[in-house]
Amino acid sequence: MTRLLLLGWAALALMMVVLWLRQRQTRNATSVDAAWSAGMGLLAIGYALLSDGTPARRLLVGALGFIWAIRLAWHLISDRVIGQPEDGRYRAMREHWGTRASLFFFVFYQGQAVVATLFSIPILAAMRSGSLDAWVAAGVAVWLVAVLGEAAADRQLARFRADPAHQGKTCRQGLWRYSRHPNYFFEWVHWFSYVLIGHAVWLTWLGPVVMLLFLFRLTGIPYTEQQALKSRGDDYRAYQRQTSVFFPWFPKQA
């Protein structure tokens, strides 16, 4: 298992070097988000081909990881990369680092390779024990609910933003009526599919536990809400008062 993880990390580290060189030319680092997801998909396929475990189990888990990752990567590319300026996060980082930006972005890109390798551990662990059984069926069911829910939330937000009349307003349509971050919620739920499939392997719990930490303490909800308050002000403050931050629930009365 360690050998596969090191091999996967090396492949992602090389990919991130190429992307880092490209962002030096374009001065746009937004593609790193999509690269993280695409890298996860490549790791899932690589593990399915090279890891231990029954072929059917490896291929099934690899397919689940690949489809989830590539859907997310394509959404990020179409929503944030193609025809879009650099994301505000990376513009702020570039301004803050100044003349040292190139070096710090290199470290940042390599950090993404490390994080992707960490998140690939539950996928690899779920491939390596047991046969296709009721636990696997339960995991596939959770995966379907999570991926379809995340895709629906992404489509609803993209459709809302595409209407010029909604400029400066907060999406309260569909799943966004019940959670301020339904895409993050279903992303988190997705990791429980590997917990169920590999229920006998404790390493599968790294997925939901570490993802929850990232969402609430590192790169997810705090930054997203900070940016929303800057761009939407009082409208988003009202949304915060009325709508559950993460777990979907009925909105409070205004």
Side-chain angles (χ1 to χ4, degrees), residues 120-150:
S120 75
I121 293 175
I123 297 175
L124 177 57
M127 294 180 180
R128 295 169 58 88
S129 64
S131 57
L132 301 181
D133 54 17
W135 286 101
V136 174
V140 172
V142 169
W143 184 92
L144 282 170
V145 170
V147 172
L148 291 175
E150 187 176 7

Side-chain angles (χ1 to χ4, degrees), residues 24-52:
R24 290 190 66 186
Q25 296 177 331
T26 62
R27 295 186 63 80
N28 189 331
T30 309
S31 60
V32 71
D33 296 331
W36 182 90
S37 301
M40 289 288 296
L42 295 177
L43 289 180
I45 292 299
Y47 294 160
L49 297 175
L50 299 174
S51 71
D52 299 327

Side-chain angles (χ1 to χ4, degrees), residues 186-206:
F186 284 109
E187 168 67 18
W188 176 67
V189 170
H190 151 262
W191 290 100
F192 282 97
S193 60
Y194 308 111
V195 173
L196 291 169
I197 293 171
H199 66 280
V201 185
W202 69 268
L203 283 172
T204 57
W205 280 96
L206 283 175

Side-chain angles (χ1 to χ4, degrees), residues 16-31 86 94 99-106 109:
M16 290 300 177
V17 168
V18 174
L19 289 173
W20 171 75
L21 290 172
R22 175 170 174 75
Q23 72 80 31
R24 290 190 66 186
Q25 296 177 331
T26 62
R27 295 186 63 80
N28 189 331
T30 309
S31 60
E86 186 174 45
R94 199 179 297 280
T99 58
R100 300 174 297 170
S102 182
L103 173 61
F104 280 109
F105 268 119
F106 179 83
Y109 271 63

Side-chain angles (χ1 to χ4, degrees), residues 156-171:
Q156 290 164 359
L157 183 60
R159 188 164 53 243
F160 179 87
R161 288 176 172 174
D163 188 342
H166 294 153
Q167 183 71 29
K169 297 181 180 179
T170 302
C171 179

Side-chain angles (χ1 to χ4, degrees), residues 80 149-150 153-154 156-157 161 170-171 173-189 212 215-216 219-229 232 236 239-240 243-249:
R80 302 182 188 179
E150 187 176 7
D154 288 339
Q156 290 164 359
L157 183 60
R161 288 176 172 174
T170 302
C171 179
Q173 299 176 359
L175 294 168
W176 299 86
R177 171 177 168 79
Y178 305 100
S179 169
R180 302 205 297 269
H181 304 281
N183 52 342
Y184 289 163
F185 171 76
F186 284 109
E187 168 67 18
W188 176 67
V189 170
L212 200 65
L215 289 176
F216 275 90
T219 61
I221 291 172
Y223 172 80
T224 302
E225 301 232 322
Q226 182 183 26
Q227 292 298 109
L229 287 170
R232 281 166 267 165
Y236 197 79
Y239 185 58
Q240 287 179 311
T243 311
S244 170
V245 61
F246 187 66
F247 295 98
W249 193 246

